[in-house]
Amino acid sequence: AQKVTQAQTEISVVEKEDVTLDCVYETRDTTYYLFWYKQPPSGELVFLIRRNSFDEQNEISGRYSWNFQKSTSSFNFTITASQVVDSAVYFCALSEASGGSEKLVFGKGTKLTVNP
Amino acid sequence: AAGVIQSPRHLIKEKRETATLKCYPIPRHDTVYWYQQGPGQDPQFLISFYEKMQSDKGSIPDRFSAQQFSDYHSELNMSSLELGDSALYFCASSPDRGRRTEAFFGQGTRLTVV
C-alpha cells in the first residue's frame, strides 16, 4: 500500500530563516506522482508542485525548492528566507492509480510557524 | 479561470440529520474526487467518479453516498449524521482521470455536527 511519512509534526522558525520539510514515501508502483500542498489557516488546499516519478530533477520556484531522490524515496521541500505568510500546514502526497483515477494519499502534514 | 465550486461553504447540522454537499467541477473535467479532513488530520479519500460512474471507493461510511450527474456536478449525501462527521469536505476535479495534470481542489465545505 502507498504511504507518505512526514516525520516533522511542527516546525517553528524565525522570519528569513531557511526551512526544509521532509517527506518520505512508499510505493510499489514504478509510475507515480508526488505532490506538495499548502493549507493556510483559512483551510483551502493550495497546490504547490506535482512531480513525475521519472523526473528527478530538482525544481526551484521563487523561494521554494524541491529535492526528489528516488534512491531514498524522499521528496523534500525547502523554503528559503521564510516569511510570516508561509505559516501553514504543508502536506506531501502521493498519487495512487486505482480504479483508473489518481487518488491522493496524504502525509499527516507539517505545521510550519514563521515568527516575525 | 473557472475553479471547482463547492456549496455550501459552511453547514451546521444536528446529530441524526441529513446533509447534502455539492460540487461543480471545472468545465471539461471528467473526474471528481471527494476527500474528508477531520480536525488536525490529513485529507482522506472517500470516493471518485469518472464520466459519471463510480471509479474508486475509499473509507466512506455506509451512511454516505455520492453520485455524479449528467452535467458532471457531484453530490455527497450524508445521513444519520454523527459528531465524528464534523470535518472539512473537499471536492477535486481533474481531466483525463488525473493522468495529465493535478486534481484541482475546491475551497471545501466545513460541516459541523452538533
Side-chain angles (χ1 to χ4, degrees):
Chain A
Q2 321 277 58
K3 186 179 178 182
V4 176
T5 301
Q6 294 180 254
Q8 304 147 311
T9 306
E10 292 192 42
I11 299 176
S12 183
V13 299
V14 177
E15 214 171 11
K16 297 183 184 175
E17 282 186 31
D18 298 347
V19 57
T20 295
L21 310 182
D22 298 333
C23 173
V24 173
Y25 63 92
E26 294 175 32
T27 180
R28 292 181 181 174
D29 292 346
T30 54
T31 302
Y32 51 90
Y33 293 93
L34 294 163
F35 302 76
W36 276 94
Y37 285 88
K38 173 183 180 181
Q39 187 172 45
S42 50
E44 72 270 25
L45 283 169
V46 179
F47 168 79
L48 297 178
I49 190 171
R50 176 186 193 246
R51 176 49 54 86
N52 183 304
S53 56
F54 294 110
D55 182 5
E56 285 193 72
Q57 277 196 332
N58 291 335
E59 182 156 340
I60 298 174
S61 176
R63 295 184 298 106
Y64 295 169
S65 62
W66 291 269
N67 180 259
F68 177 26
Q69 292 198 340
K70 254 177 139 170
S71 59
T72 55
S73 298
S74 65
F75 188 44
N76 297 336
F77 171 36
T78 297
I79 302 175
T80 303
S82 59
Q83 299 176 1
V84 173
V85 293
D86 296 327
S87 296
V89 178
Y90 291 85
F91 290 100
C92 180
L94 172 67
S95 68
E96 180 179 43
S98 62
S101 56
E102 300 278 337
K103 68 181 185 185
L104 294 177
V105 175
F106 288 84
K108 296 298 181 189
T110 296
K111 182 178 181 182
L112 174 65
T113 302
V114 181
N115 299 297
Chain B
V4 176
I5 305 297
Q6 291 188 245
S7 70
R9 293 291 310 280
H10 301 272
L11 189 59
I12 299 175
K13 290 285 186 178
E14 295 189 356
K15 281 194 304 184
R16 293 180 287 279
E17 284 193 320
T18 297
T20 297
L21 309 186
K22 297 186 178 183
C23 170
Y24 297 87
I26 293 172
R28 291 179 295 281
H29 280 196
D30 52 26
T31 307
V32 167
Y33 312 80
W34 285 97
Y35 290 84
Q36 177 193 54
Q37 185 180 23
Q41 304 295 315
D42 54 295
Q44 294 286 320
F45 171 74
L46 291 178
I47 195 167
S48 63
F49 293 88
Y50 170 64
E51 284 292 344
K52 292 156 281 184
M53 299 286 289
Q54 181 182 306
S55 58
D56 194 14
K57 203 169 180 179
S59 47
I60 183 169
D62 292 340
R63 299 177 290 108
F64 293 9
S65 65
Q67 57 182 323
Q68 187 178 30
F69 294 85
S70 58
D71 64 351
Y72 290 91
H73 94 272
S74 179
E75 295 184 4
L76 177 65
N77 297 292
M78 299 177 285
S79 62
S80 303
L81 287 169
E82 302 173 356
L83 295 178
D85 296 329
S86 295
L88 194 51
Y89 290 83
F90 288 105
C91 172
S93 75
S94 64
D96 195 29
R97 290 181 276 187
R99 292 172 184 176
R100 289 188 290 113
T101 184
E102 72 277 8
F104 293 80
F105 280 83
Q107 295 208 304
T109 293
R110 189 172 296 278
L111 172 66
T112 303
V113 182
V114 297

